[in-house]
Amino acid sequence: MDIVVMVAQLILGLTILVGLHELGHMLAAKWFGMRVEKYAIGFPPKVFSKKFGETEYMLGLIPLGGFVKISGMVDESMDTEALKEEPKPWEFRAKPAWQRLIVMMGGIIVNVITGIVIYVALTYSYGESYLPASEAKYGVVPNEIGQDIGFRTGDKVVAVNGEKLQRFNDVYSIDAILGRNSYYTVERNGELIDLKVPVDLADKLADKEERMLFVQPRLPFKVGQVVKGSAADEAGLKVGDTFKTINGKNVMFFNDFQEAMLANAGKKVVMVVERNGKPIKLQAEVGDDGTLGFYQEPLVQLATREYSLGESIPMGTEQAFGVITANLKGFGKIFRGEMSASKSLSGPIGIAQIFGDTFNWYKFWSITAMLSMVLAFMNFLPIPALDGGHVVFLTYEIISGRKPSDNFLENAQKVGMVLLLGLMAFAIFNDVFKIIF
């Protein structure tokens, strides 16, 4: 069932984005009087099709893309027979270069608009909930990656790249992780210390085992939901209990509690919890995996900010273009050899895992907005067979006044298709490799 939820979200998200992307091409083509022969979401075999006017609308079985077939255009269909005849007035090749350029940019523009609209809507509808840096007053708990950076348990993060930390989540900001000379300033035993961010931090965080946050706020906690029939339930733990000690060891913070549980995995422990202001002694048998069977609830005060529509527009736009900035910085690190392409690139399996095995509308639309901006960015790359490749050739034509020959465009399209198919095969193989290893 978990796999079904992931796949369903992937298909729904891609269908929306691909459908809108191709719609951008189609509407621009029709606006300039070009004949659109086919509008397809998904690739053959055909599941459904219906012809309205001159255009066949098709739904394909393979939901990993889509296409628009415009008369007189060298595209992925490689239908070049019609190009041997004289251009017809309704054909793509018969139109001015500036009109063809707008048609090729139509999908990218629509994806950018889609990403912005979703981010604006989410900002306006949900506002922003965050952990104020002041609430992380007990410092942080680093994992192995955090320790390699130089973090120590109890460090208080006071600044990122010299700017005072206001929201704790800014510790994970793109500027910090993908920047070239990033550093954190922490307070340790009353002394301020700068911790330089390694250039390969993003690469380490992409590892399957290390995707968790490299530092987390050190927070006191209480018992949330207790799993029925679990060791916690049998021991008598109640919602709202706060732990004091495990076998006499103080466990005020959740990381201390986890360490105590792992140290006593498979053993019986004596716990002291506080309930309604009174200490209560309980006994429980810790599971072999070091758990008792309850969900913890951090004792922290989150801050919430609501935005008006006027405030949401620039905020959502900034979030949308932040995705583009992150991709540019990521590509820069890959080209400089500071980040592995195999760890950074995800195919359909990896994207499905990002959606997760539970459905939440906010998360779904957040990921869909992010993918819309990524799709726009990737399609703008100057690779033949992508929109960006066509944009390069059309820009050359507008500047030079000379149109590349149909034979050149056809061969460029073939090269681009080989590159794209190879990239797709690599991405899928990479997804499977990361799951297995």
Side-chain angles (χ1 to χ4, degrees), residues 392-404:
V392 169
F393 297 142
L394 287 166
T395 302
Y396 166 80
E397 180 181 344
I398 291 172
I399 294 174
S400 69
R402 296 191 301 272
K403 179 182 179 180

Side-chain angles (χ1 to χ4, degrees), residues 346-357:
S346 290
I349 298 175
I351 297 173
Q353 290 176 323
I354 293 173
F355 277 108
D357 55 11

Side-chain angles (χ1 to χ4, degrees), residues 1 32 87 178 250 352:
M1 188 63 188
F32 293 122
L178 294 180
N250 291 326

